[in-house]
Amino acid sequence: MDTGKVVMVTGPAQGIGRAIAERFLQSGCSLVALDRQAEGLQSLAALAPERVAWEVMDVTDDGAPARGMALARERFGRLDALVNNAGIGRPKPMHLTDDAELDRFLGVNLRSVFRFSREALGLMQPGACMVHVASTFGLMGNPGASAYAATKAALIGLTRQMAVDYGPQGLRINAVAPGLIRTALIEDRLDQPAFRRLMVDTIPYPRLGEPADVAAGVAFLCSQDAAFINGHVLVIDGGWSATNWVGPTPA
Ligand SMILES: NC(=O)c1ccc[n+]([C@@H]2O[C@H](COP(=O)([O-])OP(=O)(O)OC[C@H]3O[C@@H](n4cnc5c(N)ncnc54)[C@H](O)[C@@H]3O)[C@@H](O)[C@H]2O)c1
């Protein structure tokens, strides 16, 4: 995204959101950073104090979207991009997922994205865009991921629907669907054989994904190079969802 643009990122204190936020800062954008972790926000703001507005918040709070937009308006006067990244993982199979757990997934991964997007519509001008951070789990079935997968599939539906409804206003709405990306969300499972077999050994490209890989995709979708891309889901997974082949590759 061009220098001088204003980008809001939810969940930028660590992991993928952090890489997205840093990438926008490096390209000269201003940043509205919203997360429930104060420490991560402070260290992010220290990178470019004049260009980072931040607030500690839980994105599921009723007033969170309005507070985020007010911060963007007061500090920078506008909003050119919203990246709905904040999310939770570690789902259980459906029969072990009680109502509270289901509501937690729906609240963070879906409801907050819907509500932040709705609020942003009021501030965005033609040429602005949104990117929802979905997942390959929203595209394919995987063992034991019910509530998580349902929210990520819903984000993909929401992306297409918003692209149709708000494209006529000059807004572009896209999603990224990361595969396995090395962050705190997954790091402690990398040693588990079953997890490796499902998630690591099945990546055709010979490495794990890194947060910067997702940041690059988000930056592209927000850039002028993507000016006619609307309603698209950009898979960033090293080819994991392209195959069910479990190596080694035949000679
Ligand atoms: N890591 C992966 O392999 C992977 C794969 C596909 C999709 N994703 C998605 O990418 C996004 C980021 O994941 P990550 O791996 O960086 O996770 P992470 O746990 O490392 O970071 C998530 C960030 O979101 C913030 N956050 C979570 N809930 C929040 C809430 N209610 N209010 C405010 N902030 C909140 C956390 O504080 C944290 O800074 C998530 O939506 C996740 O589902 C991750």
Side-chain angles (χ1 to χ4, degrees):
M1 174 145 265
D2 308 333
T3 296
K5 299 281 187 186
V6 180
V7 184
M8 179 180 291
V9 181
T10 65
Q14 65 178 46
I16 292 171
R18 177 71 177 223
I20 293 169
E22 287 189 8
R23 176 142 186 157
F24 281 124
L25 283 180
Q26 279 154 15
S27 56
C29 296
S30 296
L31 187 69
V32 182
L34 311 172
D35 202 294
R36 58 186 176 190
Q37 287 185 55
E39 218 173 290
L41 290 177
Q42 279 157 357
S43 66
L44 184 62
L47 298 175
E50 260 88 83
R51 288 190 286 124
V52 181
W54 58 277
E55 186 171 330
V56 178
M57 65 167 68
D58 188 317
V59 293
T60 65
D61 283 352
D62 276 353
R67 274 172 32 224
M69 300 312 145
L71 186 61
R73 200 180 286 112
E74 282 154 22
R75 272 293 294 275
F76 305 119
R78 55 176 221 273
L79 184 64
D80 300 300
L82 166 63
V83 182
N84 280 305
N85 163 79
I88 52 170
R90 299 177 185 286
K92 298 182 183 122
M94 179 186 263
H95 63 280
L96 300 175
T97 303
D98 62 17
D99 287 352
E101 183 76 343
L102 173 62
D103 287 347
R104 204 169 67 86
F105 273 99
L106 292 172
V108 182
N109 289 6
L110 177 59
R111 189 170 184 273
S112 82
V113 174
F114 191 105
R115 298 182 74 246
F116 266 84
S117 300
R118 187 176 59 196
E119 197 75 28
L121 291 172
L123 190 52
M124 286 184 156
Q125 299 294 319
C129 65
M130 301 188 201
V131 177
H132 305 321
V133 179
S135 167
T136 45
F137 276 41
L139 294 166
M140 301 174 70
N142 285 282
S146 60
Y148 180 80
T151 61
K152 294 302 185 179
L155 287 189
I156 289 168
L158 186 65
T159 300
R160 295 184 177 130
Q161 188 59 43
M162 290 185 69
V164 172
D165 286 340
Y166 303 107
Q169 296 178 18
L171 303 184
R172 294 183 303 106
I173 321 294
N174 292 295
V176 288
L180 187 69
I181 308 295
R182 195 200 306 262
T183 70
L185 203 65
I186 60 101
E187 203 135 37
D188 61 341
R189 282 175 287 170
L190 284 175
D191 291 337
Q192 297 172 8
F195 185 80
R196 287 199 73 84
R197 227 174 13 255
L198 174 69
M199 295 304 305
V200 182
D201 300 344
T202 39
I203 306 173
Y205 202 70
R207 66 168 174 82
L208 295 183
E210 299 291 339
D213 294 317
V214 183
V218 171
F220 166 68
L221 289 172
C222 291
S223 74
Q224 268 309 302
D225 287 344
F228 199 54
I229 299 180
N230 187 30
H232 185 68
V233 182
L234 180 61
V235 174
I236 303 172
D237 69 349
W240 180 82
S241 60
T243 179
N244 58 7
W245 175 255
V246 185
T249 305

